Amino acid sequence: MGRTGVYPCYENQFKIETKAAVSEPESPAEMSVIADMETFSVSFDNGVEEWTPFEQEGWKRRLMTAKALTITVSGKRNIGDKGNDMVASLYNKNGRDVEKTFEWTFPDGSVVTLNQAVINVTNIGAGDSTGVAPLEFEVLSNGKPDFTEASAG
């Protein structure tokens, strides 16, 4: 197990695919940190089937049958940063063009990788005239994420 105890939220780190992998094994996707992000939230959408069999005398039975993950991120638009530029470049795209690999590294070193995550840009530069331009987006899982445990040590 990695580190234990409490930690500040900034120890969570996010990366986005900024260059697709080439078919050769020695050429993996290029992943870049997204600069100037300030807040994030995580939500799980769990599909639960319910039924009420006679033998349960009116009590419901339940089974979780589906999961989805959404990470909502907000921060500042930073022109010239690879990760920030990649997210911002998706604002006017649709379909498969907004699918990118996204990594969330936890403070203990564990990593959740969302392959072909849907990047939904929700704000790119709108705000107060004296404020710093924001960049806000959602990362929506697109299939089962990969989870890599932190290495011991």
Side-chain angles (χ1 to χ4, degrees), residues 76-96:
K76 305 302 183 198
R77 177 68 177 103
N78 183 330
I79 298 170
D81 174 75
K82 279 185 180 184
N84 198 296
D85 287 348
M86 175 53 70
V87 172
S89 75
L90 302 175
Y91 83 94
N92 66 344
K93 296 188 170 139
N94 283 315
R96 306 294 309 269

Side-chain angles (χ1 to χ4, degrees), residues 1-3 108-110 148-153:
M1 172 158 80
R3 221 171 76 191
D108 72 353
S110 300
T148 306
E149 291 277 346
S151 57

Side-chain angles (χ1 to χ4, degrees), residues 16-93:
I16 191 166
E17 173 189 346
T18 51
K19 184 177 179 187
V22 181
S23 59
E24 297 112 36
E26 64 276 359
S27 299
E30 178 182 293
M31 302 295 292
S32 298
V33 170
I34 307 164
D36 289 308
M37 295 298 100
E38 299 177 287
T39 63
F40 77 99
S41 63
V42 177
S43 64
F44 294 93
D45 181 12
N46 302 311
V48 177
E49 290 282 330
E50 296 182 346
W51 66 100
T52 313
F54 293 118
E55 72 274 11
Q56 294 297 316
E57 299 175 352
W59 286 88
K60 289 188 182 292
R61 297 273 328 264
R62 294 185 170 109
L63 179 65
M64 189 171 303
T65 60
K67 289 204 162 296
L69 169 66
T70 300
I71 303 170
T72 303
V73 185
S74 66
K76 305 302 183 198
R77 177 68 177 103
N78 183 330
I79 298 170
D81 174 75
K82 279 185 180 184
N84 198 296
D85 287 348
M86 175 53 70
V87 172
S89 75
L90 302 175
Y91 83 94
N92 66 344
K93 296 188 170 139

